Amino acid sequence: MTDFPQLFQPGRIGKLTLKNHVVMPAMGVSLARTNGEASDDIIRYYEERARGGVGLIITEVTRIDDKYGVATYKQLAVTDPKQIPQLQRLADAVHKYDTKIFVQLHHPGRETTSQLLNGEQIVAPSAIADKTVKEVPRALSTEEVQALVKAFIKGAVIAKTAGIDGVEIHAAHGYLLNQFLSPYSNQRTDRYGGSFHNRLRFLQEIIAGIKYMCGADFPISVRISADEFVAGGLKIADSVKIARTLESYGIDAINVSSGIYESAPTIVEPGSYAQGWKKELAKTIKANVKIPVIAVNNIKTPEIAEQLLTDDVCDYIGVARATLADPDWARKAATGHSNQITTCIGCLLCFGALQAGKHIICAVNPRLGREREFATLNHNGAQRTVAVIGGGPGGMTAAKTLAERGFKVTLFEQHKVLGGTLNTADKTPLKDKITLLNQQLINQVEANQNIELHLNEKATVEKVRALQPAGVFIASGAKPIVPQLPGMAGKNVITAEDYLYGKAPVSGKVTVIGGSMTGLETAEKLAGEGHEVTIVEMQAKVGAGVNPTILLDLMQRLNKYEPTIMTGKRLVGAGEHGVKVLDMIDHGMSDIVADTVILALGVTPDTSISAPFIAAFDQTKIIGDAEASGRVAEAMRDGYTKAYVFAND
C-alpha cells in the first residue's frame, strides 16, 4: 500500500495507459549527438528515470528544423530518418520499465541566437526582439510557416516510426508556437496573425497533419504557458480559450506551464519559490476542459504532488528538476521511502550549465549527465573499514557511496548533528528546501547499516588508527576567512557563520563585509530582523558568480529593505564604532558607522584538521572544502567521485 494512492494509480492519455500519474516533463540536457541522434549518454539518462518509476517521460526540446530551429548544440532532433534507429533504442530502453515516452516537438523561434544558427538571423512571427536574447528576428514568410507545419508533422512521423508512444507540441515558454499564439509577439497580418483563430492556425494545421499522418490513436499533448507574466502577454483567460480550442482540434492532453524568457523565473523557479505556487493556472484550465491536464508546479515532494491531485488541480503531476536531483523519486515515493528522496534545492546549477554551453549537471546529484560513466558501483568493499571525518554534504555522500560498495564506514562528526554547512545555509530566508535536503541526506545515512555514526565526537589519529582502516576520507570542511587587519578581534566583529548559528549577538546598525551569495543572504536575514544594513563589496558589483536568476530574485527581496550597498570598497580595518574602507578607484579612505560588523568573505580549508591524518595514513582522500572552498555541488561531487573510484585498482 502506497502512501500516495492517487499519484500511483494507473491513468490514460487518449488510448494510452500510463502506470501512474508521475510525468517527467521536458528538460534540456545537451546529451544528444551533435547530429541530433540519441546518444548512449542520453539513453542511459532517460532509462534511469524510467527505472526510477515515472509513468511518462517527455523528452527534452527536440528539433524539427536544422536551420533555424537549433536550441542547443547537442539537442535531440527528428529531422532525418537516419535518427530513427537511435530513437528506437531510446524508446526500447524506457519501455523495459513499463514507462511511456513522448517526443517534444520544438522550435525556438526568436528565443535562440544567431551563434547557434551558424550566423543566420533568428526567425519569429514578427520582427520583434526578445528582451533577453536582444537579437532582432526576421519575420517568417507565409510559405516558410507552411513549410514548418510539414516539419513538425515529419518529426511526429519519425517519432512514431521509432516506437515513441506520442508527441508533445511545445507551444509554451515563449518559443515559436507560443510566439504565434501571443499578441505580445505576433503582429502579422496574414492568415497566421491578427485574430484569435489566425494566431492558432499554425498550431491547428500541425495537429491536423499529425492526426492524419500518425492516426487518431497516436497521442498528442500540447504544452502552453497559461500566463506569460509580461505586460501585453497571454493571461489565464486567454489560455482558457486556447485550451478549449485545442481540445476541439482533437488533442489528447494539455500540459500547463507558464512564462517566457522575459519572465524566466516563472519557468525554472529559484529555490525561494514555494511548491505549488502557480497551481491556480492548471486548476483553472482543468475546470474548462475534459481532456487530461498535465501541470508543472515546482514540485519537490510527493506529499505536495498527492495534494494537488486531491484538490483537482491537474490530472498528472509534472515532476521536473526533482527527477534530475533523484532519478528514483517515484520509486522511493511508491515504496514508502519518500523521506530518503534527495531534494532539488532550486539552485539552478543545472540551468546555468546549459546556458554556458555545457551538458546538464546537478548540485545534489553528482551522476546527472554522467549516468553512463558512473553506471555500476564496484561492490568490492568486503566489509573493510573506511573512516570518514566530517558529516557535511561531502562526507555524507562519500559515506553512503562507500557503504553501498560494501565497505564498513565509521563516520565521525564533531557536532551533535550531521549536515555541516547545510546547517547554516538553511538559516537565511526561504531555504526550506535546503533544510529538507539536509534531513533526507541524514535519513539516507541513518538507514544504511554499513555506516556507524560517531556524533559529537572529534576524530583523532589514535581513534582512527584503532579502526585499522583501508582508507580515510577527510571531509572536515573549512573555516571562515578572517583577514589579518586591525580590529578583527573586536567584540563587535563576527563571522556570518557565527551569526547564522546564533553563536554571537547582533545589535544596532550592521555592516556586512562581502557581497557574495552568503553576504547578500545574511543581509536579507538581518534586514528582516529590523537591522539597518550596509553591504560592502570590493568588486564593482555584488553577486559575482551567482546565477543571474537567483541573484535577481534575491535582490528584489533584499531591495525592499533599502539597504546601503557600497561596491568598489575594500575593508582596511574595524573599530568599536564601525569599519574603515578604501575606494578601489580613487583610493580614498572613508568610515562606515556600525554597531556590528559581519564578515562574509568566504571560507578557506582548515589544514590543521587534515594534516595529521595525511601524515598518519597512506590512503587519504580530501573532500570538498577541506581541499578547496566551493559549494554544496562541489562537496557532493567530490564525495561521490572519490568514493566511487576508491580501491578500484
Side-chain angles (χ1 to χ4, degrees):
M1 177 70 70
T2 176
D3 296 329
F4 310 105
Q6 299 223 55
L7 199 57
F8 291 103
Q9 66 177 330
R12 293 174 70 86
I13 291 180
K15 294 185 178 180
L16 183 71
T17 298
L18 304 182
K19 65 181 180 181
N20 59 44
H21 287 250
V22 182
V23 175
M24 177 183 167
M27 292 172 284
V29 291
S30 287
L31 292 173
R33 295 175 181 169
T34 53
N35 65 358
E37 284 184 316
S39 66
D40 291 345
D41 287 327
I42 205 168
I43 291 171
R44 181 73 189 192
Y45 157 79
Y46 282 119
E47 181 179 356
E48 288 211 0
R49 274 75 196 168
R51 186 176 63 189
V54 301
L56 171 64
I57 288 173
I58 304 174
T59 69
E60 68 169 2
V61 290
T62 303
R63 187 168 68 244
I64 57 91
D65 172 18
D66 288 332
K67 187 172 184 179
Y68 299 112
V70 182
T72 69
Y73 288 119
K74 299 190 72 177
Q75 172 191 14
L76 278 176
V78 280
T79 56
D80 192 315
K82 294 177 183 177
Q83 294 150 352
I84 291 173
Q86 284 298 107
L87 201 58
Q88 178 188 7
R89 289 191 60 233
L90 171 57
D92 289 344
V94 167
H95 288 155
K96 287 188 295 187
Y97 305 95
D98 294 325
T99 297
K100 306 303 183 185
I101 183 168
F102 286 8
V103 161
Q104 188 185 70
L105 306 175
H106 172 265
H107 193 298
R110 68 179 187 170
E111 288 186 342
T112 187
T113 67
S114 55
Q115 180 180 349
L116 286 168
L117 308 184
N118 295 315
E120 294 282 348
Q121 186 178 9
I122 60 176
V123 297
S126 304
I128 303 170
D130 176 273
K131 293 176 183 177
T132 57
V133 175
K134 299 177 182 178
E135 289 189 29
V136 178
R138 173 179 64 80
L140 290 161
S141 69
T142 301
E143 293 73 22
E144 285 178 308
V145 176
Q146 292 167 340
L148 284 173
V149 170
K150 295 177 181 178
F152 274 96
I153 297 167
K154 178 183 177 181
V157 171
I158 287 173
K160 184 182 180 185
T161 304
I164 297 294
D165 299 295
V167 293
E168 178 167 276
I169 303 169
H170 201 338
H173 300 167
Y175 293 124
L176 184 66
L177 291 171
N178 188 171
Q179 293 161 30
F180 272 85
L181 292 177
S182 177
Y184 182 70
S185 45
N186 184 350
Q187 296 182 3
R188 300 175 70 92
T189 57
D190 66 354
R191 64 198 302 266
Y192 295 105
S195 71
F196 173 81
H197 286 287
N198 276 0
R199 285 186 277 114
L200 263 70
R201 189 185 303 276
F202 189 2
L203 192 48
Q204 186 271 329
E205 291 177 353
I206 292 169
I207 294 166
I210 293 173
K211 286 290 182 184
Y212 178 78
M213 293 299 296
C214 296
D217 292 343
F218 187 65
I220 299 174
S221 169
V222 176
R223 194 172 207 188
I224 65 168
S225 283
D227 192 325
E228 292 185 299
F229 290 108
V230 292
L234 295 172
K235 300 299 179 187
I236 185 61
D238 306 303
S239 295
V240 166
K241 188 177 179 182
I242 290 170
R244 296 182 68 171
T245 305
L246 292 174
E247 182 178 28
S248 75
Y249 293 161
I251 68 169
D252 301 277
I254 192 153
N255 188 342
V256 178
S257 185
S258 64
I260 64 175
Y261 273 22
E262 293 176 18
S263 54
T266 68
I267 304 173
V268 184
E269 298 96 335
S272 62
Y273 279 55
Q275 295 186 71
W277 71 273
K278 56 186 176 184
K279 63 183 180 182
E280 291 305 318
L281 297 178
K283 188 167 187 174
T284 302
I285 296 293
K286 185 179 186 309
N288 283 278
V289 297
K290 295 181 175 62
I291 55 175
V293 171
I294 307 166
V296 286
N297 273 294
N298 195 33
I299 297 303
K300 310 300 181 190
T301 62
E303 290 81 5
I304 299 296
E306 180 79 5
Q307 191 62 51
L308 294 185
L309 293 175
T310 301
D311 293 344
D312 279 333
V313 169
C314 53
D315 300 288
Y316 291 90
I317 302 294
V319 184
R321 280 163 176 77
T323 61
L324 301 184
D326 194 332
D328 291 324
W329 189 96
R331 181 186 59 79
K332 289 178 180 178
T335 58
H337 295 90
S338 61
N339 70 336
Q340 293 183 38
I341 290 172
T342 303
T343 305
C344 168
I345 57 175
C347 66
L348 304 191
L349 186 68
C350 52
F351 204 61
L354 296 176
Q355 290 175 316
K358 302 177 182 179
H359 70 69
I360 196 83
I361 59 174
C362 177
V364 301
N365 178 7
R367 296 182 67 251
L368 179 61
R370 303 171 72 183
E371 288 84 359
R372 192 165 64 94
E373 178 183 348
F374 295 113
T376 306
L377 284 171
N378 188 349
H379 296 282
N380 64 341
Q383 290 298 296
R384 288 177 289 167
T385 297
V386 176
V388 176
I389 301 168
M396 286 193 285
T397 303
K400 289 188 303 166
T401 307
L402 290 163
E404 288 168 13
R405 291 185 53 202
F407 289 95
K408 182 181 178 182
V409 179
T410 300
L411 175 57
F412 292 92
E413 170 52 53
Q414 65 178 342
H415 296 101
K416 62 183 179 181
V417 294
L418 296 171
T421 56
L422 295 177
N423 290 316
T424 54
D426 71 348
K427 297 300 186 290
T428 53
L430 303 175
K431 290 302 183 74
D432 57 294
K433 296 175 184 67
I434 291 181
T435 303
L436 185 58
L437 169 69
N438 191 23
Q439 186 56 57
Q440 291 176 326
L441 291 177
I442 292 171
N443 293 342
Q444 292 170 21
V445 168
E446 292 179 342
N448 196 306
Q449 294 182 351
N450 274 346
I451 301 175
E452 181 180 299
L453 288 176
H454 289 244
L455 297 178
N456 210 23
E457 182 176 346
K458 188 172 182 178
T460 65
V461 169
E462 290 72 24
K463 289 178 182 178
V464 173
R465 184 177 284 126
L467 298 172
Q468 297 182 319
V472 179
F473 282 66
I474 303 170
S476 51
K479 58 184 179 181
I481 294 173
V482 179
Q484 298 298 308
L485 295 172
M488 294 298 102
K491 292 183 179 179
N492 64 329
V493 179
I494 64 174
T495 65
E497 181 182 54
D498 284 343
Y499 160 62
L500 296 173
Y501 265 130
K503 292 181 178 180
V506 174
S507 62
K509 294 181 179 180
V510 182
T511 293
V512 177
I513 307 298
S516 64
M517 193 70 176
T518 300
L520 295 173
E521 289 179 335
T522 299
E524 182 187 10
K525 178 174 171 60
L526 288 161
E529 292 171 350
H531 295 283
E532 183 181 329
V533 178
T534 298
I535 302 167
V536 176
E537 168 56 46
M538 188 167 65
Q539 298 193 52
K541 295 181 179 179
V542 296
V546 179
N547 179 283
T549 301
I550 297 284
L551 182 61
L552 175 63
D553 178 54
L554 173 56
M555 294 307 296
Q556 285 177 338
R557 301 195 310 268
L558 178 58
N559 286 335
K560 293 177 182 178
Y561 297 107
E562 299 182 346
T564 299
I565 298 177
M566 303 177 69
T567 57
K569 307 285 187 183
R570 181 169 65 85
L571 177 69
V572 295
E576 184 180 350
H577 301 294
V579 297
K580 187 178 291 293
V581 297
L582 172 72
D583 189 284
M584 300 298 291
I585 302 298
D586 63 20
H587 305 294
M589 303 284 282
S590 57
D591 294 311
I592 302 172
V593 175
D595 300 295
T596 306
V597 178
I598 296 183
L599 303 176
L601 297 169
V603 296
T604 186
D606 190 348
T607 56
S608 66
I609 297 177
S610 58
F613 293 97
I614 294 172
F617 300 97
D618 292 333
Q619 290 295 322
T620 57
K621 304 293 180 182
I622 315 299
I623 296 172
D625 282 350
E627 181 174 43
S629 60
R631 300 164 295 184
V632 171
E634 286 78 19
M636 293 186 71
R637 180 191 64 202
D638 232 16
Y640 180 80
T641 56
K642 290 180 179 178
Y644 184 92
V645 301
F646 176 71
N648 277 344
D649 49 11

